[in-house]
Amino acid sequence: ESPAVSTLERCLARAPRRRYRFAMPVVDDDALPPITMRPGVAGRWLSGHDQGAAAVSVLRNWVESGVSIPKHLHDYEEIVLIEQGELWVEMDGVRHRGKPGRTIIIPPRTAHAWGTLKEKAQVLFIWPTLDPFAAGKSTYLEGKPPTVA
């Protein structure tokens, strides 16, 4: 037995066990209700408190072409995965282009805005927190927060 394995086993034995409402939540994405989050943006929460998640939120958005989301920031990291279409993400005044096959990682407390380009986009957003738009978790520097339920 290597020292690394025995150390890992000791750490795992001491780690708290999380109890879920279900043995393993399985979410039928297509059965989830869509939400009109703002004009031109529809979404579905794939992972969150209501789906049985303990600590991570995942939101899928369908965004019409030419839509812009106002500048805001979160207290935590945000991961953006572009599934279809293209979009821009502006962080600290620098505009980045995203398309399928690219992952955009927005650091905590980084002011950012984003929008679509010429076509409709499908995007996954991932946050290491539940209810990322709850009061005190996100700050909108321009515009208003989205509708999330």
Side-chain angles (χ1 to χ4, degrees):
E1 176 177 311
S2 77
V5 171
S6 62
T7 301
L8 176 62
E9 287 173 349
R10 281 194 308 275
C11 289
L12 290 174
R14 289 191 306 251
R17 302 276 190 253
R18 292 196 187 266
R19 297 204 182 267
Y20 293 95
R21 290 184 291 163
F22 311 103
M24 180 177 67
V26 176
V27 178
D28 178 359
D29 298 356
D30 292 331
L32 297 170
I35 303 161
T36 301
M37 302 186 78
R38 48 176 88 243
V41 182
R44 281 193 175 128
W45 289 103
L46 306 182
S47 173
H49 185 267
D50 290 345
Q51 292 76 28
V56 175
S57 295
V58 179
L59 173 68
R60 175 172 284 136
N61 275 166
W62 294 272
V63 189
E64 297 297 328
S65 65
V67 170
S68 295
I69 304 305
K71 190 183 297 187
H72 61 285
L73 54 88
H74 312 281
D75 288 337
Y76 34 80
E77 188 172 69
E78 179 176 5
I79 309 299
V80 182
L81 303 169
I82 298 95
E83 297 180 302
Q84 296 174 6
E86 290 187 57
L87 52 87
W88 56 265
V89 176
E90 187 172 301
M91 293 183 275
D92 293 330
V94 178
R95 193 169 275 207
H96 306 271
R97 194 170 191 153
K99 62 182 182 178
R102 289 192 178 165
T103 300
I104 299 171
I105 301 170
I106 303 170
R109 308 273 322 144
T110 299
H112 61 283
W114 61 272
T116 52
L117 296 168
K118 298 177 184 177
E119 59 187 297
K120 186 174 183 175
Q122 181 175 308
V123 187
L124 281 178
F125 296 93
I126 304 167
W127 297 274
T129 186
L130 295 176
D131 305 318
F133 296 106
K137 289 189 174 184
S138 297
T139 302
Y140 273 75
L141 306 170
E142 299 170 353
K144 295 180 181 179
T147 301
V148 293

